[in-house]
Amino acid sequence: MAIDMDDEILQDFLIEAGEILEQLNEQLVDLEHRPDDYDLLNAVFRGFHTIKGGAGFLGIDPLVTVCHRAEDVFNVLRQGQRQVDPVLMDAVLQVLDVVNEMFALVQSGEEPDEADAQLIETLHQLAVPAGESVEASQQVDQAAVAPAPQAEPEPEQAVTVEEMVAEGADAPQSDPALGGDEITEEEFEKLLDQLHGTGKHGGVPVSEEATSAATPQAADGDDITEEEFEALLDQLHGKGKFNGVPAAEQQAAGEATPKTPAAASASSDEITEDEFEALLDELHGKGKFGAINGAAATPASESAPASAKPAAAPAQATGSGAAKPAPAIKQPAPAKASKSPKRTDDPQAHARKQPPAETTIRVDTARLDDIMNMVGELVLVRNRLETLKAKLGDEEVATAVANLDVVTSDLQNSVMKTRMQPVKKVFGRFPRVVRDLARSLKKEIDLELHGEETDLDKNLVEALSDPMVHLVRNAVDHGIESPEEREAAGKPRVGKVVLSAAQAGDHILLTIADDGKGMDPDVLRRKAVEKGMMDEEAAARLDEKECYNLIFAAGFSTKTEISDVSGRGVGMDVVKTRIAQMNGQVEIDSEYGKGSLITIKLPLTLAILPTLMVVLGTQPFALPLANVVEIFNLDLERTNVVDGQLTIMVRERALPLFYLHQWLVPNSNRDNRESTGHVVVVTVGNTQVGLVVDHLIGQEEVVIKPLGALLQGLDGMAGATITGDGNIALILDIPGLLRKYARR
């Protein structure tokens, strides 16, 4: 059955539940390490409870069922009747996976299927306190829900009065026996049962008229008017009697008791604490409020009328009751009880009680993309004005353009920040990944996360997930040794994997470090020869850095057996490709026996790209500045041909050299093209090459525009942009360009 995705309530549920599921993924792994953290246990319980409530409101029954069972398990844990252990956590994490799958189906508009019956049964067994059998627990549950002997039904209004009185009181949980000023709702109802008998509350049947008069008000709101409340008191205790005390005795008590100023004032909206205690003493006898055989306790102990009736007002003496709910009641409806019965007229104090205003809003990412596109257009206009400024030579125009440049840069940075998300959205999934992988490999591993609040463009955050998963799994599987091997090598049994993120200028640095066995360059050389990637002579010439980079080759793996975790030689190849697509770089450093360090360098955003503008013939091109290492003039004396490939010597190192005009503008006519030009050294993955261009224009920030339908997917082209002089320049995709044209 399809789900109506246009329902606003459903959309709110998807947003809230998605955030809760992200938190649960981290909280459950933390709970396994801190099983005695009661706050964390409550947070997990509330998470499942909230999802269950939202799903129940929307009628998603399969999701309700599995969340309810998980909630039962955590309820037992909260009560201390069972301890957190790996078996329980395996089941709960499996539940989380099932909930995520159901949630994904709901997001796509489909009704999820029921959870596996075996999983539900496992949760049912885990919801039984430790040491008890499931059968014994079921017997206890059946005994608890067994129907009690049928008693003579009481008038419905007796319950309605109690509910209205209980709703009129907002009593914090405090024990009166310990000197608290207030009693809880449960304690008050128990007191009524003791005074009147269970369910009787005064023992006086309520007439049909009172029932019909009070029911609409109870249904419409939490409060009743003073007249309705007094009518109910008259029905419960007899008209004018108020718990059976004769009016003459009330008058005598009033003459013997001096009136307080608040009681004497007929216009007062509230009564003081002493007045309320005096009323309790009058109703129950002085000091007998807590006695089982005392006079009937009226609902006025929770919500008394603000303006007392003439028969009750003189009875407000200065007594002392065992409980002090201290209500503050206003006409025409009784207000909820507060901790202090006195009126607070201090506006500053009232302002301090106000909850903080909401400071965040949810915005559709499509709107942010639209704003970013408009800022990009503004950047292009700024670049055009910068070019015109140099041609005009007018000082006032130059000043205005300079001011526009500052404002545009500030606006650009502000809009970019709205698209930023913390790297924690990527890192948050790895505690679960490491935990599950370590259990399957029978390893002991601690994961440390640093710099989780570092911000990154949301598109990069989404694109980083898969490469980071490969790198972390690689560190756990290939890097960290088994506990026995670590002890034999003099290391702690527990291995360590550290993920960190930090901003360095206009780039983000991500590192994955482990204290495992590291990589042996000789083993890597031997594997490269075995797989036919190179001969022994070429492998022997590789330095350690180049040996480490071999793991990024397609099909390369040091594993001798293929498992569901690794051994196929595709993971690191994917990492290299994806990071190159994000204009990033990845480097590896390792020390055999000590561990490995992988560093990823990424730009902060992909929307606005810093480039180096170059010219081939008469056509401008843009090279991503993130790929550019250095620039120098072409010197043919430094070139050589090695194995049929033109190379150039740079600091005693031979780099492959390519003429870009042969690839991109092959038909242009220009003499001496081969002997003049500039060499731009670029890095692709972990390889550096030299590209010869005709002219250099300089650095320029450009906005990437997608190519048209005819050119979409063209190898070597990342997009197009408009230059400062109004021309169109193609943005080069260096890795794609080399794959298409460079001879391997």
Side-chain angles (χ1 to χ4, degrees):
M1 183 181 69
I3 298 177
D4 182 12
M5 298 303 295
D6 295 330
D7 188 351
E8 282 190 22
I9 299 178
L10 175 62
Q11 293 302 321
D12 290 341
F13 168 74
L14 292 177
I15 294 173
E16 182 183 17
E19 295 173 352
I20 292 174
L21 288 174
E22 286 183 6
Q23 295 171 359
L24 283 175
N25 205 25
E26 301 176 41
Q27 291 170 343
L28 288 173
V29 178
D30 290 342
L31 184 62
E32 189 171 21
H33 293 93
R34 307 200 309 270
D36 297 328
D37 191 334
Y38 192 75
D39 292 337
L40 185 58
L41 196 59
N42 278 333
V44 175
F45 176 84
R46 286 194 301 270
F48 280 112
H49 180 75
T50 302
I51 296 176
K52 182 192 76 171
F57 184 81
L58 295 168
I60 310 174
D61 294 334
L63 195 55
V64 172
T65 301
V66 68
C67 287
H68 181 63
R69 290 300 184 185
E71 191 180 15
D72 290 342
V73 174
F74 282 96
N75 193 38
V76 172
L77 294 175
R78 292 167 70 206
Q79 295 173 2
Q81 297 174 336
R82 181 181 283 275
Q83 297 297 320
V84 175
D85 56 46
V87 175
L88 184 145
M89 291 307 302
D90 286 341
V92 174
L93 289 171
Q94 185 181 354
V95 169
L96 184 61
D97 292 337
V98 171
V99 172
N100 276 307
E101 292 172 4
M102 291 183 177
F103 182 72
L105 289 174
V106 174
Q107 282 182 312
S108 61
E110 299 179 15
E111 182 79 19
D113 297 328
E114 292 289 342
D116 182 33
Q118 182 62 40
L119 177 60
I120 298 298
E121 178 60 26
T122 301
L123 293 176
H124 181 61
Q125 295 174 0
L126 291 173
V128 177
E132 293 186 15
S133 64
V134 178
E135 292 77 8
S137 177
Q138 289 175 345
Q139 292 176 0
V140 173
D141 293 340
Q142 291 173 359
V145 299
Q150 294 276 344
E152 182 179 351
E154 295 293 332
E156 183 182 355
Q157 184 58 32
V159 179
T160 307
V161 173
E162 172 194 334
E163 290 177 351
M164 288 189 293
V165 173
E167 290 176 359
D170 188 15
Q173 295 184 359
S174 175
D175 189 355
L178 298 178
D181 289 338
E182 299 166 351
I183 62 174
T184 65
E185 180 180 334
E186 293 78 6
E187 292 168 344
F188 181 74
E189 297 201 10
K190 289 179 181 179
L191 183 60
L192 291 177
D193 291 338
Q194 290 176 337
L195 291 169
H196 307 294
T198 303
K200 296 185 177 180
H201 294 176
V204 180
V206 182
S207 66
E208 296 293 335
E209 292 80 8
T211 303
S212 60
T215 301
Q217 181 65 23
D220 294 340
D222 291 336
D223 301 329
I224 61 175
T225 64
E226 179 186 354
E227 291 77 16
E228 293 169 341
F229 189 82
E230 292 183 0
L232 291 173
L233 291 178
D234 291 339
Q235 291 292 338
L236 289 169
H237 306 291
K239 188 170 184 62
K241 292 185 178 181
F242 284 95
N243 197 27
V245 180
E249 293 181 16
Q250 295 179 9
Q251 183 176 1
E255 293 175 355
T257 306
K259 294 181 180 180
T260 62
S265 175
S267 61
S268 175
D269 289 338
E270 300 176 352
I271 61 174
T272 66
E273 183 176 342
D274 292 335
E275 294 166 8
F276 188 78
E277 291 177 1
L279 180 60
L280 292 178
D281 290 339
E282 175 60 31
L283 292 172
H284 306 293
K286 187 172 181 63
K288 297 181 179 180
F289 176 63
I292 295 177
N293 58 353
T298 71
S301 60
E302 285 288 323
S303 179
S307 166
K309 292 180 70 177
Q316 297 172 350
T318 58
S320 175
K324 303 175 183 178
I329 302 171
K330 300 180 180 181
Q331 293 179 346
K336 293 187 176 182
S338 63
K339 291 186 177 180
S340 174
K342 297 181 180 179
R343 187 191 301 268
T344 302
D345 296 326
D346 184 3
Q348 295 182 353
H350 179 71
R352 286 193 295 269
K353 294 179 182 178
Q354 294 290 337
E358 184 67 38
T359 58
T360 60
I361 59 172
R362 287 192 174 100
V363 179
D364 191 342
T365 54
R367 294 188 180 183
L368 295 180
D369 293 338
D370 291 341
I371 295 174
M372 196 67 191
N373 290 335
M374 288 187 286
V375 170
E377 296 295 335
L378 184 59
V379 170
L380 296 179
V381 174
R382 180 199 64 183
N383 294 343
R384 178 65 174 155
L385 291 175
E386 288 279 357
T387 304
L388 294 176
K389 177 187 70 173
K391 292 181 179 180
L392 294 175
D394 189 292
E395 184 176 350
E396 292 185 0
V397 172
T399 302
V401 172
N403 291 337
L404 177 64
D405 184 21
V406 173
V407 173
T408 304
S409 298
D410 291 343
L411 179 60
Q412 175 184 333
N413 292 333
S414 298
V415 174
M416 284 174 57
K417 288 180 181 179
T418 64
R419 291 166 50 93
M420 295 293 187
Q421 289 182 330
V423 181
K424 184 177 181 179
K425 292 185 70 68
V426 180
F427 283 6
R429 63 188 299 184
F430 295 122
R432 171 76 185 280
V433 172
V434 172
R435 183 259 180 199
D436 291 347
L437 196 55
R439 280 184 60 81
S440 66
L441 298 175
K442 295 180 173 57
K443 295 182 179 181
E444 299 178 13
I445 301 175
D446 277 344
L447 176 66
E448 295 183 7
L449 304 177
H450 302 294
E452 296 175 272
E453 301 306 319
T454 304
D455 289 331
L456 193 61
D457 189 279
K458 72 177 185 66
N459 293 333
L460 290 176
V461 169
E462 296 166 358
L464 264 178
S465 296
D466 289 341
M468 291 292 290
V469 167
H470 283 300
L471 293 174
V472 171
R473 289 169 65 91
N474 209 55
V476 173
D477 187 27
H478 292 271
I480 303 296
E481 314 96 326
S482 66
E484 294 76 18
E485 291 176 352
R486 292 181 63 85
E487 286 184 334
K491 295 182 178 181
R493 283 181 60 88
V494 180
K496 181 185 295 185
V497 176
V498 181
L499 300 183
S500 62
Q503 183 174 343
D506 58 350
H507 285 77
I508 289 289
L509 294 180
L510 303 173
T511 61
I512 301 97
D514 66 76
D515 64 347
K517 57 188 175 184
M519 289 184 281
D520 186 349
D522 293 333
V523 173
L524 296 173
R525 292 188 184 98
R526 186 169 62 251
K527 284 288 183 180
V529 174
E530 290 176 0
K531 292 181 177 294
M533 298 173 60
M534 59 184 68
D535 56 26
E536 293 185 4
E537 183 179 353
R541 291 198 299 266
L542 297 177
D543 59 23
E544 291 188 354
K545 204 80 169 177
E546 292 171 330
C547 288
Y548 300 148
N549 291 330
L550 288 173
I551 69 172
F552 292 113
F556 188 89
S557 177
T558 58
K559 281 282 187 178
T560 56
E561 297 181 358
I562 296 178
S563 66
D564 58 347
V565 177
S566 62
R568 297 177 177 82
V570 295
M572 299 302 286
D573 180 37
V574 171
V575 170
K576 178 183 176 182
T577 303
R578 295 296 296 274
I579 292 177
Q581 291 173 350
M582 293 183 279
N583 295 323
Q585 304 171 26
V586 57
E587 296 181 358
I588 299 180
D589 193 13
S590 181
E591 184 176 356
Y592 185 63
K594 296 294 182 63
S596 301
L597 174 67
I598 299 177
T599 303
I600 300 173
K601 184 179 180 181
L602 293 169
L604 282 175
T605 181
L606 297 178
I608 296 179
L609 186 68
T611 63
L612 174 66
M613 302 298 296
V614 300
V615 176
L616 299 176
T618 59
Q619 177 66 40
F621 291 90
L623 298 174
L625 201 59
N627 296 110
V628 177
V629 179
E630 61 178 314
I631 304 171
F632 55 85
N633 293 326
L634 176 62
D635 184 358
L636 292 179
E637 294 182 356
R638 297 165 57 185
T639 61
N640 293 287
V641 177
V642 179
D643 294 336
Q645 171 64 54
L646 181 64
T647 63
I648 188 168
M649 297 299 296
V650 179
R651 289 182 290 277
E652 300 182 358
R653 183 182 179 187
L655 296 181
L657 188 66
F658 302 97
Y659 286 86
L660 276 183
H661 72 86
Q662 296 177 354
W663 295 348
L664 303 177
V665 284
N667 297 325
S668 62
N669 296 321
R670 184 185 172 199
D671 297 334
N672 301 324
R673 182 183 296 277
E674 304 297 331
S675 59
T676 60
H678 307 277
V679 178
V680 180
V681 179
V682 297
T683 180
V684 180
N686 298 287
T687 304
Q688 291 185 355
V689 299
L691 302 176
V692 180
V693 300
D694 295 340
H695 302 287
L696 299 172
I697 297 177
Q699 180 179 344
E700 187 172 318
E701 285 187 339
V702 301
V703 179
I704 302 177
K705 298 291 184 181
L707 298 173
L710 293 177
L711 300 178
Q712 192 69 37
L714 189 63
D715 290 335
M717 300 298 165
T721 188
I722 300 175
T723 62
D725 57 5
N727 293 322
I728 296 177
L730 292 173
I731 303 173
L732 300 182
D733 171 23
I734 303 299
L737 204 63
L738 293 178
R739 282 195 304 270
K740 182 174 178 64
Y741 296 105
R743 187 161 57 89
R744 296 181 183 278

